[in-house]
Amino acid sequence: MKAPTALQRGMACLCCRKRKMKCDGARPVCSQCSKANRSSECEYYEKKRTSRTQLLQAKITKLEARLRELEAEQSPEPSSSSASQSPRFETSSSSSPGLSSSLPIDPSMFNPSDLDRDYAQGSGDTIGELSADPFLPAFQEESSATAFAWASDGLDFPAAVDDFLAPCASEASSSRLQDFSSGPSSNWWENDVFCENKRVLLDIFFAHRHQCSFDVHVGRFKAALLLPSAHKPHPSLVDAIYLLACYFSRSPTLTALEPHFLKRSLRGIAEALKNSDRIIHVLQASCLLAMYFFWHGRTLEGYYHSSIAARLAVGLGLHQIRSNDWFQFQLVRAGYPQDAPAPLKASVPLKPPVDEVEYAERIAAFWQIFSVDRAWAVATGLPTALPDDEHPRSRIETIWPIAIPDDPDPSIDASIMQAFPNGHLSGSVPIAALRVKAIALFERTARFSAAPTKDDSRYSLEMSLSQFSGNLSNLSNQQYGLSYLVTTVDIVNMQTLIHAATIHLHRDALETEPQSYQKCLWAANAMTSLIRSVQDTDYELLCPIIATCWRSAAEVYMRILAMSHGPSALGSTAELIEQEIDTLIAAMQRLNCVFPIAGIYASKLLEDRSLHRQPYVV
């Protein structure tokens, strides 16, 4: 008997694609839907023959419409907008509104076949020439989609039930913070005077800054808050920091202030763009707001802010800060007739950095934008906003993140120690470069998996994953001999990204190639093993993108169960797989206490799991 040929990608009905079930593509009703009495739900997506320009115009139209809605929400009536802007802390007895606030994605707007991106071959120690880096290979030029097939449903998931929030109830009541006392300074959040309450918010945020990919010289940043207004960090960035500090605090008193700081930050960004005022800070604020929205499952709002930051970063030339730029800046400042470095040739030129600290902070700002853009492109299925082409003005050439040096200005020490007795005077550690490289591999392998045609780059990507994993193991073994601390959370975050990248490379051949089956299963098991090593207190410090990785591991397990035509065919192995799925769901529910997006994933996973089990119920 002739074996049935595999159905071409994208030809399955929408019902089977949603349930991740095999479909024979029969018209008008496929066999799966016919057997399950879902004839009325069996529909097919007919690809529209629209040009790339039309798709982008449609996207712009939809984003502009959403922007008008957001501007309408910023009306003076806080009572009507607070609930929609801070959904995580609604007190509903039946469900969590914040978990149902995700926005549906129009598939015709983001057509994977029309939104191709290519990594370009660059020069120097940059992402454009990844072969020069020991962690990553030289990526072959290819045409591939950035809207990933497995995440084509975006984040349009049903609301999670109260059971998901139950594990958090006791922790919310025992928050790390006591309610801020009322009194003469009860309106401290409405003025620009730096006070003790704001100092507490800063400490909360900087304890979580790695989850926001945010890196600055902490001591200098805090000291600048005591300077005159024109020399302070821009208010939009400061308010965005206070917003996320309230978010992380899990104190009812502080979380109630989230809508206030959100409104102030949005207003500040608009004013700063109008006046071209401290634009680097505006980019950082936009990234923080984007992550705030992504964490709540508010996809288009997050995408809007991350796209603004990415496009503006290219216009400022932050994507082309080369290794010799600092030397050239010094020559230009000294008056020598040298060619100006690339950032000065940008569409919107920036002033040269004043010293090595600001130079390193600009590099960090670009990689914050890159991390948000690339990581959440995988999570949402939306196209990346940063360019990936060969054009000299858009090619990414910025060097990998460098450690932010100690402040060369000794006068900072006295002021920071006086205002912040426990202030952090030194710069950052080089672990940020490893985080960015892990995200780059995570996104690159997902893009490879989504490409309609595969090239021969899988082997080089796999070698890079293997080498990166080896370096992480060495780093973990040697951390006690390092001058800086590599935490367990750092290792778990990066290793989980690499295991998910392995699944990206092999998931298409999971059912057909034994080697791919073994590697996908090994990567999924490795992720669940890491989950078991995580302490309850570590969940507050995990990066939320890790929930996307757990989702890919759960998909592997459910596909293995489906391959065997039911748990009974696997015997005791099926019980182990079910336990691993339980572990992933429990981890998502636990992470949901901090990031609602994890609860959305858990709800979707439970739904998919019940659908997979239905054919096996006797």
Side-chain angles (χ1 to χ4, degrees):
M1 179 177 178
K2 184 178 179 180
T5 58
L7 190 65
Q8 184 179 355
R9 179 185 292 273
M11 298 302 293
C13 74
L14 297 179
C15 189
C16 289
R17 287 165 62 180
K18 181 179 180 180
R19 289 168 170 77
K20 296 182 176 62
M21 302 175 67
K22 289 187 177 180
C23 180
D24 57 9
R27 307 285 182 111
V29 180
C30 72
S31 300
Q32 289 279 18
C33 292
S34 179
K35 292 178 182 178
N37 296 322
R38 291 193 299 266
S39 301
S40 60
E41 301 178 27
C42 188
E43 297 177 354
Y44 291 87
Y45 170 64
E46 302 294 340
K47 178 182 175 182
K48 298 180 180 180
R49 295 185 176 276
T50 53
S51 66
R52 176 185 174 89
T53 300
Q54 291 172 321
L55 292 170
L56 293 176
Q57 288 174 343
K59 180 177 70 173
I60 292 172
T61 301
K62 191 160 187 175
L63 290 175
E64 288 176 344
R66 182 55 184 156
L67 177 60
R68 287 191 291 271
E69 294 177 10
L70 291 174
E71 291 174 345
E73 291 179 3
Q74 308 308 317
S75 58
E77 296 81 20
S79 59
S80 62
S81 60
S82 298
S84 62
Q85 291 178 347
S86 184
R88 185 163 67 107
F89 302 99
E90 293 284 345
T91 56
S92 171
S93 58
S94 59
S95 64
S96 175
L99 301 183
S100 61
S101 61
S102 56
L103 301 174
I105 305 300
D106 182 1
S108 65
M109 180 181 295
F110 305 106
N111 193 329
S113 62
D114 293 316
L115 291 173
D116 296 337
R117 304 281 188 182
D118 302 320
Y119 265 104
Q121 299 296 330
S123 60
D125 183 15
T126 69
I127 195 171
E129 190 178 63
L130 295 170
S131 59
D133 189 273
F135 291 95
L136 303 172
F139 292 159
Q140 300 295 324
E141 185 175 347
E142 67 172 358
S143 177
S144 58
T146 54
F148 307 117
W150 71 273
S152 59
D153 53 353
L155 296 179
D156 189 19
F157 304 148
V161 296
D162 280 344
D163 293 341
F164 288 173
L165 298 176
C168 310
S170 60
E171 297 178 22
S173 61
S174 58
S175 173
R176 290 175 298 139
L177 293 176
Q178 299 295 327
D179 291 349
F180 282 16
S181 59
S182 59
S185 60
S186 59
N187 62 340
W188 56 270
W189 60 87
E190 295 180 353
N191 54 55
D192 296 329
V193 178
F194 192 76
C195 60
E196 176 65 16
N197 290 344
K198 292 181 179 179
R199 186 193 69 79
V200 173
L201 293 183
L202 279 181
D203 292 340
I204 294 173
F205 173 80
F206 281 115
H208 294 270
R209 61 176 174 147
H210 73 278
Q211 294 163 286
C212 308
S213 302
F214 184 81
D215 195 14
V216 295
H217 190 290
V218 180
R220 176 182 285 195
F221 186 90
K222 290 181 175 180
L225 293 173
L226 308 176
L227 298 176
S229 297
H231 302 285
K232 290 182 179 180
H234 195 274
S236 63
L237 175 58
V238 177
D239 287 326
I241 288 175
Y242 293 155
L243 167 68
L244 293 188
C246 292
Y247 176 89
F248 283 118
S249 72
R250 298 164 67 188
S251 164
T253 300
L254 292 180
T255 55
L257 297 179
E258 286 183 35
H260 171 77
F261 287 122
L262 176 60
K263 183 183 296 186
R264 282 176 54 119
S265 185
L266 289 170
R267 186 186 303 119
I269 289 175
E271 293 176 356
L273 292 175
K274 180 180 178 180
N275 300 320
S276 299
D277 183 18
R278 289 163 278 186
I279 300 300
I280 300 295
H281 293 168
V282 174
L283 298 183
Q284 293 170 315
S286 294
C287 279
L288 295 180
L289 294 186
M291 284 181 280
Y292 178 79
F293 288 126
F294 281 135
W295 295 346
H296 285 90
R298 296 164 64 173
T299 309
L300 288 183
E301 293 163 283
Y303 185 68
Y304 172 77
H305 286 283
S306 64
S307 297
I308 287 178
R311 301 296 182 184
L312 190 53
V314 173
L316 296 173
L318 294 181
H319 64 306
Q320 293 183 341
I321 304 178
R322 303 179 181 89
S323 57
N324 64 337
D325 281 355
W326 174 244
F327 177 72
Q328 293 190 36
F329 277 134
Q330 294 292 83
L331 293 178
V332 171
R333 187 180 289 115
Y336 290 94
Q338 300 290 329
D339 292 335
L344 298 182
K345 298 178 182 178
S347 302
V348 185
L350 288 171
K351 293 182 180 179
V354 297
D355 55 22
E356 297 92 337
V357 173
E358 187 173 335
Y359 172 71
E361 287 181 339
R362 289 188 181 184
I363 295 172
F366 171 77
W367 289 113
Q368 178 193 18
I369 296 168
F370 177 91
S371 298
V372 175
D373 179 61
R374 292 296 194 260
W376 289 98
V378 180
T380 64
L382 294 172
T384 58
L386 282 173
D388 277 336
D389 56 53
E390 194 74 32
H391 193 279
R393 294 189 67 87
S394 56
R395 184 171 55 228
I396 295 177
E397 297 180 348
T398 297
I399 61 175
W400 295 110
I402 60 177
I404 295 179
D406 295 346
D407 200 312
D409 185 0
S411 64
I412 294 293
D413 293 1
S415 60
I416 190 65
M417 288 302 295
Q418 182 178 0
F420 304 94
N422 299 319
H424 179 70
L425 302 181
S426 61
S428 66
V429 297
I431 192 69
L434 291 178
R435 295 190 189 114
V436 170
K437 292 173 185 179
I439 290 175
L441 277 172
F442 173 67
E443 186 274 336
R444 181 62 186 86
T445 53
R447 184 147 47 92
F448 170 87
S449 176
T453 57
K454 303 295 188 293
D455 58 14
D456 57 354
S457 63
R458 187 170 80 171
Y459 176 77
S460 61
L461 286 169
E462 193 165 4
M463 291 296 294
S464 293
L465 294 177
S466 177
Q467 188 171 16
F468 193 96
S469 297
N471 283 314
L472 282 183
S473 298
N474 293 336
L475 184 65
S476 180
N477 295 333
Q478 300 172 4
Q479 60 177 310
Y480 297 107
L482 299 174
S483 58
Y484 54 89
L485 177 64
V486 181
T487 65
T488 301
V489 171
D490 285 325
I491 298 297
V492 168
N493 283 327
M494 290 186 285
Q495 285 184 339
T496 302
L497 286 170
I498 297 306
H499 294 322
T502 299
I503 292 176
H504 293 164
L505 286 183
H506 295 278
R507 63 186 170 197
D508 286 348
L510 188 150
E511 290 90 353
T512 58
E513 297 181 9
Q515 184 180 18
S516 293
Y517 174 93
Q518 293 294 334
K519 290 189 175 182
C520 285
L521 181 59
W522 173 86
N525 290 339
M527 275 195 253
T528 54
S529 296
L530 285 172
I531 289 174
R532 295 186 182 94
S533 70
V534 175
Q535 304 295 323
D536 285 343
T537 54
D538 292 335
Y539 278 87
E540 290 189 355
L541 300 175
L542 289 174
C543 290
I545 201 65
I546 203 172
T548 302
C549 304
W550 293 342
R551 181 185 176 187
S552 64
E555 182 189 48
V556 167
Y557 288 133
M558 289 191 291
R559 287 172 64 179
I560 290 175
L561 291 176
M563 284 171 56
S564 305
H565 306 290
S568 59
L570 289 174
S572 59
T573 304
E575 294 185 14
L576 296 176
I577 291 178
E578 293 286 357
Q579 291 174 7
E580 297 296 79
I581 296 177
D582 289 338
T583 298
L584 292 167
I585 293 176
M588 291 181 187
Q589 292 173 348
R590 179 62 182 82
L591 189 61
N592 173 56
C593 298
V594 187
F595 301 108
I597 186 62
I600 297 176
Y601 285 149
S603 177
K604 180 63 175 176
L605 179 54
L606 283 173
E607 179 186 347
D608 291 345
R609 189 185 195 185
S610 63
L611 291 173
H612 275 274
R613 284 174 169 175
Q614 285 181 3
Y616 313 127
V617 176
V618 180

